[in-house]
mmCIF file of all heavy atoms in Angstrom:
data_model
loop_
_atom_site.group_PDB
_atom_site.id
_atom_site.type_symbol
_atom_site.label_atom_id
_atom_site.label_comp_id
_atom_site.label_asym_id
_atom_site.label_seq_id
_atom_site.Cartn_x
_atom_site.Cartn_y
_atom_site.Cartn_z
ATOM 1 N N MET A 145 48.665 111.772 66.957
ATOM 2 C CA MET A 145 48.719 110.435 67.658
ATOM 3 C C MET A 145 49.468 110.572 68.943
ATOM 4 O O MET A 145 48.986 110.112 70.019
ATOM 5 C CB MET A 145 49.473 109.485 66.742
ATOM 6 C CG MET A 145 49.701 108.116 67.410
ATOM 7 S SD MET A 145 50.663 106.990 66.334
ATOM 8 C CE MET A 145 52.258 107.721 66.423
ATOM 9 N N LEU A 146 50.581 111.303 68.948
ATOM 10 C CA LEU A 146 51.385 111.441 70.200
ATOM 11 C C LEU A 146 50.630 112.212 71.274
ATOM 12 O O LEU A 146 50.746 111.972 72.438
ATOM 13 C CB LEU A 146 52.740 111.982 69.908
ATOM 14 C CG LEU A 146 53.681 111.053 69.166
ATOM 15 C CD1 LEU A 146 55.018 111.756 68.905
ATOM 16 C CD2 LEU A 146 53.832 109.751 69.869
ATOM 17 N N ILE A 147 49.876 113.246 70.836
ATOM 18 C CA ILE A 147 49.111 114.006 71.768
ATOM 19 C C ILE A 147 48.068 113.171 72.400
ATOM 20 O O ILE A 147 47.840 113.213 73.627
ATOM 21 C CB ILE A 147 48.518 115.273 71.116
ATOM 22 C CG1 ILE A 147 49.601 116.277 70.861
ATOM 23 C CG2 ILE A 147 47.355 115.838 71.939
ATOM 24 C CD1 ILE A 147 49.235 117.488 70.076
ATOM 25 N N SER A 148 47.315 112.330 71.635
ATOM 26 C CA SER A 148 46.305 111.454 72.183
ATOM 27 C C SER A 148 46.939 110.446 73.152
ATOM 28 O O SER A 148 46.399 110.229 74.261
ATOM 29 C CB SER A 148 45.639 110.665 71.039
ATOM 30 O OG SER A 148 44.862 111.543 70.260
ATOM 31 N N VAL A 149 48.060 109.836 72.767
ATOM 32 C CA VAL A 149 48.723 108.868 73.614
ATOM 33 C C VAL A 149 49.231 109.563 74.905
ATOM 34 O O VAL A 149 48.976 109.084 76.001
ATOM 35 C CB VAL A 149 49.871 108.187 72.874
ATOM 36 C CG1 VAL A 149 50.769 107.384 73.798
ATOM 37 C CG2 VAL A 149 49.326 107.291 71.788
ATOM 38 N N GLY A 150 49.891 110.701 74.729
ATOM 39 C CA GLY A 150 50.415 111.413 75.948
ATOM 40 C C GLY A 150 49.338 111.842 76.880
ATOM 41 O O GLY A 150 49.409 111.656 78.069
ATOM 42 N N LEU A 151 48.293 112.457 76.342
ATOM 43 C CA LEU A 151 47.180 112.838 77.189
ATOM 44 C C LEU A 151 46.538 111.737 77.939
ATOM 45 O O LEU A 151 46.076 111.789 79.050
ATOM 46 C CB LEU A 151 46.132 113.639 76.390
ATOM 47 C CG LEU A 151 46.457 115.028 75.983
ATOM 48 C CD1 LEU A 151 45.372 115.645 75.134
ATOM 49 C CD2 LEU A 151 46.735 115.904 77.207
ATOM 50 N N SER A 152 46.449 110.545 77.261
ATOM 51 C CA SER A 152 45.827 109.400 77.889
ATOM 52 C C SER A 152 46.606 108.972 79.123
ATOM 53 O O SER A 152 45.988 108.521 80.112
ATOM 54 C CB SER A 152 45.727 108.229 76.917
ATOM 55 O OG SER A 152 46.901 107.567 76.672
ATOM 56 N N PHE A 153 47.889 109.135 79.107
ATOM 57 C CA PHE A 153 48.676 108.760 80.333
ATOM 58 C C PHE A 153 48.426 109.772 81.445
ATOM 59 O O PHE A 153 48.338 109.405 82.612
ATOM 60 C CB PHE A 153 50.207 108.718 79.979
ATOM 61 C CG PHE A 153 50.598 107.420 79.329
ATOM 62 C CD1 PHE A 153 50.825 107.319 77.971
ATOM 63 C CD2 PHE A 153 50.745 106.217 80.080
ATOM 64 C CE1 PHE A 153 51.202 106.135 77.415
ATOM 65 C CE2 PHE A 153 51.087 105.028 79.519
ATOM 66 C CZ PHE A 153 51.320 104.965 78.194
ATOM 67 N N VAL A 154 48.345 111.037 81.079
ATOM 68 C CA VAL A 154 48.097 112.090 82.075
ATOM 69 C C VAL A 154 46.659 111.967 82.638
ATOM 70 O O VAL A 154 46.474 111.960 83.855
ATOM 71 C CB VAL A 154 48.228 113.452 81.466
ATOM 72 C CG1 VAL A 154 47.795 114.551 82.487
ATOM 73 C CG2 VAL A 154 49.695 113.675 81.032
ATOM 74 N N ILE A 155 45.663 111.709 81.781
ATOM 75 C CA ILE A 155 44.326 111.504 82.225
ATOM 76 C C ILE A 155 44.258 110.247 83.072
ATOM 77 O O ILE A 155 43.643 110.228 84.117
ATOM 78 C CB ILE A 155 43.382 111.371 81.026
ATOM 79 C CG1 ILE A 155 43.318 112.752 80.290
ATOM 80 C CG2 ILE A 155 41.989 110.936 81.447
ATOM 81 C CD1 ILE A 155 42.702 112.644 78.856
ATOM 82 N N GLY A 156 44.826 109.150 82.574
ATOM 83 C CA GLY A 156 44.802 107.855 83.283
ATOM 84 C C GLY A 156 45.424 107.985 84.726
ATOM 85 O O GLY A 156 44.877 107.380 85.691
ATOM 86 N N ALA A 157 46.515 108.706 84.814
ATOM 87 C CA ALA A 157 47.198 108.811 86.075
ATOM 88 C C ALA A 157 46.370 109.635 87.116
ATOM 89 O O ALA A 157 46.558 109.404 88.324
ATOM 90 C CB ALA A 157 48.582 109.510 85.940
ATOM 91 N N SER A 158 45.494 110.389 86.636
ATOM 92 C CA SER A 158 44.651 111.172 87.539
ATOM 93 C C SER A 158 43.314 110.577 87.872
ATOM 94 O O SER A 158 42.532 111.090 88.652
ATOM 95 C CB SER A 158 44.444 112.590 86.992
ATOM 96 O OG SER A 158 43.713 112.522 85.792
#
Side-chain angles (χ1 to χ4, degrees):
M145 176 183 71
L146 290 180
I147 287 173
S148 294
V149 169
L151 283 178
S152 76
F153 279 103
V154 173
I155 293 165
S158 63

